[in-house]
Amino acid sequence: MASASAPPFKQDPHKLLVIPGPIEVADEVLFANAHPSMSHVSPDFVPVFGDCIRMIREVLLTKDAQPFLISGSGTLGWDQVAANLVEPGENALVLNTGYFGDSFTDCLETYGARVKQLKAPVGGVVPLADLTAALTAAPKPYKVVTFTHVDTSTGVLSDAAAIAETVRRVSPSTLVVMDAVCSVASEEIRFDDWDLDVVLTASQKGLGAPPGLSVLLASQRAVGVWQARKESGVREGSYYASWSKWLPIMKAYEAGQAAYFATPPVNLIYAFHASLALITGKKSAQFDDSVALPTLSERFALHRAASQRIKSAAFALGLTQLPTDAAHAANGMSALYFPAGVTAADLLPRLGARGVIVAGGLLATHKEKYFRIGHMGVSVVDPRRADVETIVKALEGALKEIEEVKARK
Ligand SMILES: Cc1ncc(COP(=O)(O)O)c(C=O)c1O
């Protein structure tokens, strides 16, 4: 059984979950999730919600972006963008590096946006020159440019700072929207320095909490664009995802007052609070205060080191990766082609038998050819766990067994 289940860990024995989200979570997060039921307007709960708003700003290195913490999954972030920032008939440019670019496009179109996509070849990124050309050629500035920081289907990491810089320079009124569902807290994101407008994510990946919370941060510029739309009388395209409903709630909780539009996921907010406290170094591990918590920059360095370890071990075993250039491979996950003659049915159950759960392929055209390993959060930053080595050993053992079986045939 994988090390996460052995003492000093308190959670029930289980196989090591290293898909690219949901991920393994800390004991203290699970414990916080088991908080006794509380009223969502209780004076004890309100500051917990307020702290989450403040701490998520710290994780994304922003002073004044507006967080929206709403019950839902990462997908709800797309709906918020489409329903609040893009009016029907307005144009959007999507930089597509995989499955999630297709889905974001679909969401934007659902709300009536006119979408142009720049599609990268599988495993590649969209060249900045293509972005510049598309922005320059547009008869009217795009309302938004969206891109996926780490596309979970390909493991491709886009250069967020360079994309934002290009858009700001060539098309200053265009909002820069980053789908960071698979990158927040495992890749460095400097919201203010990079001048981003929207970063959207979810609780269940690098943020290290159970699934169920949509996490979105909007720049004051983006909030202004939404405000202008509201004042011009164009209603948001959604009821539940409308910032008219949620902005007053977020502001109230941050100011220490209760407010109600729709019931927040109270227990998940406790869990999210516990995870953010660990990530921002506010609290040493509740169950073992001898454990030193990494700073944010140490956290990102640990993710880079874990990624190197897993990728180089895989390459040594003859595997190759989907990203076509190591410089744009994600640090919180790996997308790896099966070796010749090996299938998902050969490898994944053998990893499972060794206590390690990974994910199959997701990109329709390549689904059968590759698999994905998540290496984020406590699996990477908790020095008491040996999850990265457990993954490497399981991979080595499973591939060896497959070779032996083949040799016997
Ligand atoms: C990059 C990316 N965007 C969006 C989503 C959608 O998030 P959710 O499944 O939480 O709705 C995912 C989910 O894995 C993702 O990886």
Side-chain angles (χ1 to χ4, degrees):
M1 197 52 70
S3 57
S5 303
F9 300 99
K10 297 193 164 39
Q11 47 196 283
D12 282 351
H14 63 283
K15 292 186 178 181
L16 180 65
L17 184 64
V18 283
I19 64 174
I23 65 165
E24 288 283 318
V25 306
D27 283 347
E28 24 292 272
V29 174
L30 287 183
F31 183 76
N33 200 50
H35 195 282
S37 275
M38 292 287 287
S39 161
H40 52 290
V41 291
S42 150
D44 290 330
F45 174 66
V46 171
V48 177
F49 201 120
D51 282 350
C52 288
I53 290 177
R54 286 179 280 272
M55 286 192 284
I56 191 66
R57 279 202 195 97
E58 274 180 59
V59 175
L60 289 171
L61 300 172
T62 175
K63 287 205 164 50
D64 69 350
Q66 176 60 53
F68 291 87
L69 306 179
I70 306 178
S71 193
S73 73
T75 300
L76 180 60
W78 297 338
D79 283 82
Q80 289 184 63
V81 170
N84 293 285
L85 293 177
V86 189
E87 298 175 25
E90 286 186 334
N91 57 1
L93 182 64
V94 173
L95 311 187
N96 186 323
T97 48
Y99 177 95
F100 292 98
D102 294 342
S103 315
F104 203 165
T105 298
D106 191 19
C107 178
L108 288 161
E109 288 177 344
T110 300
Y111 289 82
R114 295 201 342 266
V115 181
K116 177 179 166 64
Q117 293 193 67
L118 295 178
K119 284 204 181 204
V122 172
V125 292
V126 175
L128 290 176
D130 293 5
L131 169 60
T132 304
L135 293 172
T136 312
K140 220 175 131 204
Y142 285 102
K143 190 68 178 288
V144 294
V145 166
T146 79
F147 68 100
T148 316
H149 196 199
V150 169
D151 197 295
T152 322
S153 70
T154 54
V156 165
L157 169 69
S158 289
D159 185 343
I163 291 170
E165 188 281 324
T166 303
V167 177
R168 199 59 71 222
R169 181 167 38 79
V170 183
S171 183
S173 65
T174 299
L175 298 174
V176 180
V177 174
M178 179 160 91
D179 173 343
V181 172
C182 195
S183 63
V184 169
S186 35
E187 307 284 353
E188 181 178 55
I189 299 174
R190 309 190 73 85
F191 192 106
D192 288 353
D193 289 353
W194 298 349
D195 208 5
L196 299 166
D197 288 302
V198 173
V199 168
L200 63 95
T201 186
S203 47
Q204 77 273 17
K205 302 202 194 220
L207 287 171
L213 194 65
S214 160
V215 177
L216 181 146
L217 278 81
S219 68
Q220 290 307 322
R221 186 192 297 120
V223 173
V225 165
W226 160 78
Q227 189 78 44
R229 169 206 189 134
K230 198 171 139 65
E231 281 159 14
S232 73
V234 183
R235 288 185 71 158
E236 297 105 328
S238 160
Y239 182 70
Y240 182 70
S242 139
W243 288 354
S244 296
K245 306 290 188 219
W246 286 113
L247 187 59
I249 308 299
M250 297 302 139
K251 285 191 180 294
Y253 274 100
E254 187 168 10
Q257 286 143 23
Y260 173 74
F261 162 55
T263 310
V266 178
N267 286 57
L268 183 53
I269 294 289
Y270 277 105
F272 191 51
H273 186 275
S275 192
L276 287 172
L278 295 174
I279 292 171
T280 57
K282 297 264 171 315
K283 198 160 74 176
S284 59
Q286 181 179 330
F287 296 132
D288 184 351
D289 58 16
S290 68
V291 177
L293 295 166
T295 62
L296 262 187
S297 58
E298 287 166 352
R299 163 173 289 263
F300 300 132
L302 285 167
H303 279 78
R304 287 193 293 274
S307 179
Q308 281 303 315
R309 170 74 182 118
I310 287 177
K311 287 176 174 67
S312 54
F315 299 157
L317 291 164
L319 277 62
T320 54
Q321 65 175 341
L322 256 78
T324 48
D325 184 335
H328 59 241
N331 294 297
M333 66 167 289
S334 298
L336 298 162
Y337 285 113
F338 295 117
V342 174
T343 65
D346 295 325
L347 184 61
L348 271 50
R350 285 187 170 88
L351 290 174
R354 288 166 172 77
V356 173
I357 304 297
V358 302
L362 180 59
L363 200 64
T365 50
H366 287 57
K367 210 171 162 42
E368 308 301 329
K369 298 183 187 161
Y370 75 107
F371 68 106
R372 297 169 301 147
I373 305 173
H375 28 87
M376 316 175 209
V378 285
S379 281
V380 168
V381 305
D382 187 333
R384 298 166 302 172
R385 303 171 71 116
D387 293 355
V388 170
E389 292 312 310
T390 301
I391 296 167
V392 169
K393 271 202 198 70
L395 196 56
E396 288 168 349
L399 286 169
K400 188 158 177 263
E401 187 184 318
I402 293 169
E403 263 176 33
E404 286 166 358
V405 170
K406 282 200 179 136
R408 280 202 295 273
K409 277 190 183 157

